[in-house]
Amino acid sequence: MDTPLIEFRDVSKSFGSRTVLNKIDLKIHEGHITTIIGKSGIGKSVLLKHIIGLLAPDEGDILFQGVPLSRMKKSEWDSYRSNISYMFQNNALFDSLTIFDNIALPLRQTTNLNSKEIEKKVMLRVEQTELNEVVYKYPSELSGGMQKRAALARALVTDPEIVLFDEPTTGQDPIRKNAILSMIAQYKRKFNFTAIVISHEIPDIFFISDRIILLWEGKIGFQGTYEEAIELHHPMVDELLYSLEGFQDELTGLLSKQTFRARYETALSRTRKKKTVTAVLFNMNLDILSEALGHTASLEVVKSLGDYINTHLDALGGFSARQSRDQILTILPHVDIEETEEMIEEFSSGLEEKWMAKICVWSSSEDSLKLSIFAGITVASSGEDIESIIDKARNNQKIIASIDCKHWR
Amino acid sequence: MKSLIDKLGNRAIVLINNLGSTAIFFGRGFIMIFRPKQLAPVIHQIYHIGTRSTNIVIMVGFFTGMVLGLQLYYELIKFGSEGVLGAAVALSLIRELGPVLTAIMITARAGSSMTAEIGIQRISEQIDALYTMRIDPIRFLISPRIAASIISFPILTVFFDLVGIVGGYFTGVVLLGVNSGVYIHRVHASVEMVDINGGFIKALVFAIIVSTICCYQGYFTHMRKDSYGAKSVSLSTTSAVVTSCIMILIADYVVTAFLM
């Protein structure tokens, strides 16, 4: 296997008599979004601060591409540091500087860019984080959410290769929370940086994460993918996931993934004879939408789709949950596949009519937005897990609604 | 007895450690003054430390000169020597009172705000943020303040001295009737370059002491063992002002002893 980008080997850290990290071994791979989860005060931020050198381990080694940080030459250390950016939990914005100056600070101090180039880079980030109206205000004049976005803009302005996010979405409303996560995911694809994120936003954070690391009482409780964590059925992992994930998805108002799983199992057990249920996977391309509408408006679309599905399919005894950033899976225990197909046709014509105006109003760009909503219908039977249902439904996917803002205009 | 010696020993070790780390802190801060991109922040700090302290220094200088004029006049007149009032006021101000009182006034006005500002930046992780952005916090926060203090202290001391001599003139000549020409002549005749240089040297030494102590206290406010958070910033600010004032007086004696 490839050398991990960052590796912790037997790392321990204590503050006085309190051991926060106890012989930790973990690996972070290049190009991945790795999420660190764990209870409050367990040492997640401490772990992150070790990576950037704000804290040094009492014991053990931290390696970057196989080279221990403690044995790096000054030039290697400088080069390592120049590729990392850190977004603080409490934002750490300079309260005597405007938002513009805060974002421009690393460029002014560590690069030789002229003021026009700096302004261009800063304003790009300002637009992406929707801070245009407050760019010349001071941090204390901004809401907590805006301060968070300003800190995010500052962390990304230097185009780093590794970005450490210490609770980037705390204090945000569900739309903005997901907008920030979408932004992280999109930037990660665009610039291919490696992201290490501390977050409690379950399940939203899992939609963008490649790997999760569970920190538990100073040790690594689990490291792997979300699916592996769910499959593991480890009491410690389950306890944490249940405690952090609510019953509802904040963004769409649909069920949380955990609750959905539980409802799915119950629904199957109640179908006495056939032991099958009908499943519909709704899907759209969120990236196209984000490019056209921006992160916040595109999530309004996802939210609105969730509302629409909820309103129409709940009445039939169905239940739904977001399975990824732009996929919603609905289980209809009391409707067979033919009825479902008819119903989806009806559902989709209404969707086109009601939605077109809404989405096209959000799309202010001159380029006309073309968006397709897909749906795949399948039958799920006892013993099938959610992932295989999603795969089956994806194979049956077809366009159920097309929205072209050119025609609307 | 043994525990008393232990305590004294521990205190001595802590003191020596602090002195050592303060010296290293100043050394790093001083060297970083000469790094690129420092001119604008230094000018900014000169405005905060120097320009904005001018009013208070002028006011204190004027009244100090007036009081000196008054006190010395009534002593000198006993010996019929009121003619040397100008020399007495000028030498007292240039050699001692000017540098010392200016330094104490700047400590109270700008030194305390230095500690509080840096202390708040420390506890709100702004200094850590600088580190993560590869901006040396010593270069960015400390060096401009040290440089600005080194530039501002002597200039403000000159203001203090000049305004103090004017204050003495006002009391002695305008209010108490000393001859104007005699006052000015005595000032001119008695003040030598060595007195002015001595005052400058003191102002420079005090600038280094005040800026280093005030920045150090703010920068390491999180290391305090007696308090945390906002409380530690307030204690650091108090400690910075008190320590600076004591060190100004001790340094004044030491420098004077060397100059004499």
Side-chain angles (χ1 to χ4, degrees):
Chain A
M1 187 152 179
D2 294 342
T3 310
L5 187 68
I6 295 166
E7 187 178 359
F8 279 49
R9 280 190 196 157
D10 283 336
V11 169
S12 297
K13 181 73 182 178
S14 301
F15 295 99
S17 58
R18 187 175 163 241
T19 303
V20 178
L21 305 179
N22 188 6
K23 294 197 176 297
I24 276 186
D25 286 304
L26 68 86
K27 288 175 183 174
I28 287 154
H29 295 279
E30 192 167 2
H32 281 186
I33 296 180
T34 304
T35 300
I36 300 169
I37 56 171
K39 289 178 181 172
S40 292
I42 201 89
K44 301 186 292 296
S45 299
V46 169
L47 193 149
L48 221 55
K49 284 177 180 174
H50 276 79
I51 296 173
I52 202 159
L54 274 171
L55 293 171
D58 298 336
E59 282 174 42
D61 267 323
I62 299 165
L63 295 89
F64 174 69
Q65 292 176 330
V67 181
L69 300 185
S70 57
R71 272 171 256 164
M72 275 183 177
K73 291 177 194 161
K74 193 179 179 299
S75 57
E76 288 175 323
W77 177 243
D78 284 344
S79 155
Y80 167 71
R81 289 267 317 280
S82 68
N83 290 325
I84 303 189
S85 192
Y86 190 107
M87 183 181 161
F88 282 81
Q89 189 175 355
N90 68 357
N91 308 321
L93 293 168
F94 284 83
D95 33 26
S96 55
L97 299 180
T98 62
I99 295 303
F100 182 93
D101 290 334
N102 262 289
I103 300 170
L105 186 65
L107 296 176
R108 282 181 181 151
Q109 293 292 324
T110 61
T111 69
N112 291 320
L113 297 175
N114 64 38
S115 56
K116 278 194 175 172
E117 288 169 318
I118 289 174
E119 188 179 346
K120 198 176 156 192
K121 273 180 162 260
V122 171
M123 291 314 289
L124 178 67
R125 294 293 184 231
V126 163
E127 274 170 31
Q128 287 165 336
T129 46
E130 299 170 43
L131 290 166
N132 303 55
E133 285 172 18
V134 296
V135 70
Y136 295 110
K137 288 191 171 178
Y138 289 90
S140 58
E141 298 175 279
L142 269 57
S143 68
M146 283 179 170
Q147 289 183 24
K148 207 81 184 165
R149 278 180 278 145
L152 178 68
R154 189 177 68 180
L156 296 176
V157 77
T158 50
D159 301 330
E161 288 177 16
I162 303 169
V163 191
L164 313 177
F165 297 96
D166 195 349
E167 302 198 18
T169 52
T170 310
Q172 302 286 328
D173 59 72
I175 296 274
R176 288 234 159 75
K177 197 180 285 179
N178 278 274
I180 288 174
L181 296 178
S182 284
M183 205 183 295
I184 293 171
Q186 199 191 25
Y187 287 172
K188 185 243 156 187
R189 274 197 301 278
K190 205 168 173 182
F191 304 114
N192 200 30
F193 62 63
T194 304
I196 304 166
V197 190
I198 292 177
S199 182
H200 296 294
E201 308 305 342
I202 293 174
D204 309 72
I205 187 67
F206 293 143
F207 296 151
I208 66 160
S209 300
D210 299 302
R211 282 171 66 79
I212 59 170
I213 291 173
L214 167 67
L215 201 58
W216 190 271
E217 290 172 359
K219 298 260 188 194
I220 298 295
F222 168 82
Q223 51 182 323
T225 62
Y226 175 65
E227 285 70 29
E228 284 168 356
I230 295 296
E231 292 301 316
L232 194 66
H233 288 300
H234 191 287
M236 184 174 67
V237 177
D238 287 350
E239 185 192 326
L240 189 82
L241 294 184
Y242 276 113
S243 68
L244 293 178
E245 186 176 3
F247 293 109
Q248 257 191 337
D249 174 11
E250 276 188 324
L251 178 71
T252 56
L254 301 173
L255 296 179
S256 69
K257 277 177 94 172
Q258 294 280 4
T259 314
F260 179 83
R261 267 170 209 275
R263 285 275 304 267
Y264 166 65
E265 278 159 23
T266 313
L268 273 176
S269 65
R270 282 184 184 167
T271 52
R272 284 178 195 165
K273 285 180 189 170
K274 52 179 185 168
K275 292 281 178 196
T276 60
V277 289
T278 308
V280 189
L281 181 72
F282 296 95
N283 189 13
M284 65 179 152
N285 194 327
L286 191 62
D287 287 337
I288 292 177
L289 208 55
S290 296
E291 289 285 337
L293 305 181
H295 293 288
T296 307
S298 65
L299 286 157
E300 290 281 2
V301 175
V302 176
K303 182 179 184 302
S304 163
L305 178 65
D307 284 344
Y308 194 81
I309 291 171
N310 218 3
T311 313
H312 287 76
L313 304 184
D314 249 27
L316 302 168
F319 53 90
S320 315
R322 211 157 40 114
Q323 300 297 326
S324 73
R325 287 164 63 226
D326 49 13
Q327 283 187 335
I328 295 172
L329 183 64
T330 301
I331 298 287
L332 296 159
H334 313 297
V335 185
D336 65 25
I337 198 155
E338 287 81 19
E339 286 172 316
T340 306
E341 275 169 0
E342 281 172 27
M343 191 200 61
I344 290 296
E345 253 179 59
E346 229 173 86
F347 169 91
S348 57
S349 59
L351 188 70
E352 262 181 0
E353 277 170 30
K354 287 184 182 171
W355 250 35
M356 192 180 285
K358 210 171 182 180
I359 292 176
C360 293
V361 165
W362 278 323
S363 166
S364 56
S365 69
E366 290 302 313
D367 303 325
S368 90
L369 168 70
K370 284 181 185 171
L371 177 72
S372 299
I373 311 289
F374 300 85
I377 305 169
T378 189
V379 174
S381 45
S382 185
E384 262 187 297
D385 61 18
I386 303 286
E387 284 67 40
S388 62
I389 300 169
I390 292 172
D391 286 341
K392 270 168 56 184
R394 200 181 287 129
N395 290 334
N396 299 335
Q397 255 183 182
K398 56 184 182 186
I399 295 174
I400 58 159
S402 287
I403 291 156
D404 188 345
C405 292
K406 200 174 171 184
H407 294 151
W408 180 74
R409 283 197 176 97
Chain B
M1 187 66 188
K2 190 171 174 271
S3 68
L4 183 70
I5 292 168
D6 278 352
K7 275 182 187 171
L8 282 172
N10 280 334
R11 287 233 164 176
I13 290 167
V14 170
L15 182 70
I16 290 164
N17 274 339
N18 282 341
L19 281 174
S21 59
T22 309
I24 293 166
F25 182 79
F26 167 72
R28 283 194 60 201
F30 187 77
I31 290 165
M32 297 279 181
I33 292 170
F34 308 101
R35 287 289 179 92
K37 301 185 181 185
Q38 288 290 60
L39 185 64
V42 170
I43 292 170
H44 182 73
Q45 286 303 326
I46 288 174
Y47 173 72
H48 279 286
I49 297 168
T51 313
R52 295 182 73 180
S53 301
T54 310
N55 289 347
I56 195 163
V57 165
I58 287 174
M59 199 170 76
V60 173
F62 189 72
F63 282 100
T64 305
M66 282 179 70
V67 169
L68 265 180
L70 201 62
Q71 290 278 9
L72 290 170
Y73 176 81
Y74 284 112
E75 287 306 310
L76 291 170
I77 205 164
K78 289 177 189 167
F79 310 103
S81 311
E82 68 272 22
V84 294
L85 181 69
V89 168
L91 288 175
S92 309
L93 285 169
I94 291 168
R95 285 181 182 174
E96 288 300 332
L97 293 175
V100 171
L101 289 180
T102 304
I104 288 173
M105 292 322 298
I106 302 177
T107 303
R109 208 206 67 80
S112 55
S113 77
M114 265 188 235
T115 310
E117 190 180 343
I118 296 170
I120 288 167
Q121 288 178 331
R122 168 61 78 187
I123 62 165
S124 60
E125 292 186 310
Q126 291 174 38
I127 292 178
D128 287 345
L130 285 174
Y131 176 83
T132 64
M133 290 185 271
R134 286 193 309 129
I135 301 169
D136 189 328
I138 301 267
R139 176 180 72 77
F140 187 72
L141 296 174
I142 310 303
S143 298
R145 287 173 167 86
I146 292 176
S149 299
I150 289 172
I151 294 165
S152 304
F153 273 58
I155 295 171
L156 288 173
T157 303
V158 169
F159 281 154
F160 189 100
D161 294 345
L162 288 173
V163 173
I165 291 168
V166 172
Y169 179 91
F170 183 73
T171 316
V173 177
V174 179
L175 301 180
L176 300 169
V178 174
N179 183 281
S180 166
V182 172
Y183 184 91
I184 294 166
H185 171 71
R186 286 291 180 183
V187 171
H188 193 255
S190 61
V191 177
E192 291 176 15
M193 205 57 207
V194 70
D195 302 314
I196 295 168
N197 287 345
F200 267 122
I201 290 168
K202 284 184 180 177
L204 286 174
V205 171
F206 298 158
I208 290 167
I209 288 173
V210 171
S211 59
T212 307
I213 291 173
C214 292
C215 291
Y216 183 88
Q217 289 286 342
Y219 197 80
F220 292 107
T221 195
H222 64 305
M223 306 285 270
R224 291 188 78 94
K225 288 182 179 153
D226 53 352
S227 56
Y228 297 95
K231 184 82 178 162
S232 72
V233 176
S234 82
L235 288 178
S236 294
T237 308
T238 308
S239 172
V241 172
V242 172
T243 314
S244 294
C245 290
I246 293 169
M247 289 308 294
I248 286 167
L249 297 173
I250 293 171
D252 185 42
Y253 174 79
V254 174
V255 175
T256 308
F258 272 104
L259 290 174
M260 284 294 177

